[in-house]
Amino acid sequence: MSKIALITGITGQDGAYLAEYLIKKGYVVHGMKRRSSLFNTDRIDHLYQDPHKENRNLILHYGDLTDSMNITRIIQEVQPDEIYNLAAMSHVKVSFDTPEYTANADGLGTLRILEAVRLLGLTKKTRIYQASTSELYGLVQEVPQRETTPFYPRSPYAVAKLYAYWITVNYREAYGMHASNGILFNHESPMRGETFVTRKITRAVSRMVLGMQQKTYLGNLSAQRDWGHAKDYVRAMHLILQQDAPSDYVIATGITTTVRDFVKMAFAEAGIEVAFRGTGVDEKGFIADVDETAFAAAVGEEYLEGIRGRIGSEVVNVDPAYFRPTEVEMLIGDPTKSRTMLGWEPEYDLPALVKDMMQADIKLMKKDSFLKAGGYRILNYFE
Ligand code: NAP
Ligand code: F7E
């Protein structure tokens, strides 16, 4: 008998990688997706199966974390062995603009799932993974951050996720549920949402090397993050639910890097050296040098002429619009527990992650340039 998993947030970055991973492992995967006026399944279209096909291993249900009746109905229908609660309003900066909605979806949404499992009498059958986050550490109280480090959230997103973290622990202790938190540090991929900083950078750099864009505007260049690859992190989610006892785990690489250095690494993938001068809002990134052989190999000889003319020109400016009212300046995780207890090891390091993202975005933007489709989101349909 195949195991049955229910993934909320299946249309997101992690949901897509996890669905693919579980299907390969022989699971039947049910996913909750929101109704939207446009198709929002780009990331899982390669897994989609016609509803008229028998024995499907991917089944989608309309739903929303803010609607407890619909959550209860889906769980009742699906009778899952494992629930991965990945759905969330996941953008930290946007959570300052939509704090009540964020609390509802990211905080109470988790309660709705736990309570549905309890009311349906599934506490012994259904294991629950809660997508907790390194943002809980916020104004960090210890370096590096581990499972025992006190939390100090710094955004409405992190405060909502703090509630979700503790309600998961509470249901575990109160009702003996197999409910666990994965405290995941930032993880990225070619499927990362376009407004998170890594993807914003790899998209912008790809467009710049192809001559489609002159510069990009970023916020806090000195912020430091512990960045890993989403493919590695979804393996950890699955491992957490395969343990005999529920628990909470930090998933991280143990290495931290500034946004500024991520920019340099992204350009370096195209053979371009970028340097920074100035401070604060006046800091500028500019092209210092180009290795033409590396550029031709990564981007294409036909684009060499264009990039030659850009040596010395600015490619990064700071725009305070991207600053947050309260910032998380530095995160670095200690993954000792997950390495020893789960046997989890990431396959990607940061250079491999940057390479993967840059190669994918250069390819994507070349198609964009070719199609002249007037809006690059359309490209996802052609991938
Ligand atoms: P993501 O790409 O933003 O995906 C979020 C998913 O949640 C999408 O499928 C989205 O649907 C769905 N969603 C949002 N609001 C919803 C609602 N009210 N009801 C139902 N579905 C809703 O996020 P991700 O990067 O994959 O992250 C997955 C989870 O891990 C999130 O909970 C995030 O907060 C958490 N997390 C992420 C990271 C990271 O670095 N990526 C680190 C730690 C924790 P649409 O596609 O329709 O928008
Ligand atoms: O910002 C700085 C920004 O938006 C990273 C979510 O998945 O990971 C993510 O949250 C850093 C911050 O991710 C820009 O100020 C500079 O310090 O890519 P981000 P995040 O806020 O760390 C955690 C673990 C989650 O749980 C969240 O769901 O980069 N930064 N300039 C910028 N950030 C953005 N977005 N855009 C900029 O232009």
Side-chain angles (χ1 to χ4, degrees):
M1 282 287 283
S2 299
K3 275 195 187 174
I4 297 174
L6 172 63
I7 303 176
T8 73
I10 195 165
T11 57
Q13 170 190 256
D14 292 5
Y17 279 118
L18 181 65
E20 186 171 330
Y21 183 71
L22 294 180
I23 287 170
K24 280 198 186 130
K25 282 203 163 295
Y27 279 66
V28 173
V29 173
H30 291 255
M32 182 203 277
K33 71 165 183 145
R34 298 193 285 183
R35 190 269 159 182
S36 89
S37 64
L38 286 170
F39 285 130
N40 61 351
T41 51
D42 302 11
R43 291 182 175 111
I44 51 168
D45 279 347
H46 61 297
L47 303 172
Y48 179 78
Q49 291 164 333
D50 189 287
H52 305 97
K53 185 176 175 265
E54 279 182 24
N55 300 322
R56 283 184 294 156
N57 52 19
L58 179 72
I59 298 143
L60 299 179
H61 307 257
Y62 282 110
D64 197 297
L65 274 192
T66 59
D67 179 343
S68 48
M69 279 184 282
N70 115 284
I71 289 173
T72 308
R73 181 184 49 75
I74 293 172
I75 295 175
Q76 185 176 29
E77 273 175 32
V78 170
Q79 297 280 310
D81 298 298
E82 297 171 6
I83 296 178
Y84 295 86
N85 181 30
L86 309 186
M89 202 310 287
S90 71
H91 202 284
V92 172
K93 175 73 162 49
V94 174
S95 78
F96 288 95
D97 302 327
T98 59
E100 183 184 349
Y101 172 73
T102 305
N104 192 359
D106 298 13
L108 292 179
T110 306
L111 172 66
R112 293 183 181 108
I113 288 173
L114 291 160
E115 185 64 359
V117 168
R118 188 176 81 84
L119 293 177
L120 291 168
L122 294 172
T123 49
K124 292 289 169 272
K125 173 183 167 70
T126 305
R127 298 182 171 195
I128 300 172
Y129 172 87
Q130 168 56 22
S132 285
T133 165
S134 51
E135 285 294 299
L136 296 171
Y137 298 118
L139 189 63
V140 297
Q141 304 292 296
E142 187 180 23
V143 178
Q145 296 85 51
R146 63 193 100 220
E147 290 78 5
T148 50
T149 303
F151 298 137
Y152 195 133
R154 294 269 282 175
S155 63
Y157 166 77
V159 174
K161 285 281 187 176
L162 185 75
Y163 176 83
Y165 174 94
W166 281 116
I167 201 67
T168 301
V169 173
N170 182 244
Y171 270 58
R172 173 166 86 214
E173 293 174 354
Y175 306 117
M177 290 168 67
H178 196 297
S180 301
N181 286 288
I183 309 171
L184 271 52
F185 282 61
N186 298 53
H187 46 280
E188 321 293 313
S189 74
M191 291 208 287
R192 184 60 145 152
E194 293 90 340
T195 61
F196 296 100
V197 76
T198 56
R199 186 79 201 287
K200 181 173 168 181
I201 292 166
T202 60
R203 279 169 54 91
V205 173
S206 302
R207 291 173 63 79
M208 284 189 253
V209 299
L210 297 173
M212 299 164 71
Q213 181 176 332
Q214 292 302 302
K215 65 168 74 161
T216 189
Y217 295 85
L218 297 172
N220 180 5
L221 297 172
S222 300
Q224 291 172 265
R225 287 294 183 275
D226 180 331
W227 280 299
H229 198 301
K231 261 192 198 171
D232 284 327
Y233 286 46
V234 301
R235 282 194 292 111
M237 296 175 189
H238 178 250
L239 279 171
I240 288 171
L241 290 200
Q242 307 320 303
Q243 303 310 300
D244 289 340
S247 191
D248 309 313
Y249 297 88
V250 161
I251 307 295
T253 69
I255 294 169
T256 195
T257 307
T258 61
V259 171
R260 185 182 298 104
D261 283 344
F262 192 98
V263 171
K264 289 184 187 171
M265 291 174 77
F267 274 104
E269 274 306 315
I272 297 171
E273 187 192 331
V274 161
F276 285 83
R277 61 178 163 236
T279 55
V281 291
D282 296 322
E283 186 168 355
K284 319 267 182 214
F286 62 95
I287 295 183
D289 201 4
V290 178
D291 173 338
E292 295 200 356
T293 312
F295 182 92
V299 186
E301 274 188 30
E302 63 273 38
Y303 298 98
L304 263 174
E305 190 64 32
I307 204 71
R308 277 187 196 124
R310 297 225 47 210
I311 294 178
S313 66
E314 284 176 15
V315 284
V316 176
N317 282 185
V318 173
D319 182 344
Y322 298 110
F323 293 165
R324 288 143 192 217
T326 39
E327 171 67 302
V328 173
E329 292 291 347
M330 196 278 292
L331 291 172
I332 177 169
D334 174 358
T336 305
K337 181 176 172 185
S338 53
R339 288 201 161 140
T340 51
M341 307 276 290
L342 303 175
W344 176 78
E345 289 290 341
E347 284 173 11
Y348 285 80
D349 60 10
L350 185 57
L353 169 68
V354 176
K355 184 182 275 305
D356 193 24
M357 293 179 73
M358 279 301 297
Q359 284 181 346
D361 273 333
I362 289 174
K363 201 171 139 202
L364 191 69
M365 297 309 160
K366 277 185 178 170
K367 283 189 192 169
D368 186 35
S369 159
F370 172 71
L371 290 166
K372 303 238 182 310
Y376 17 95
R377 277 201 62 83
I378 199 163
L379 277 157
N380 292 335
Y381 301 114
F382 294 88
E383 271 301 289

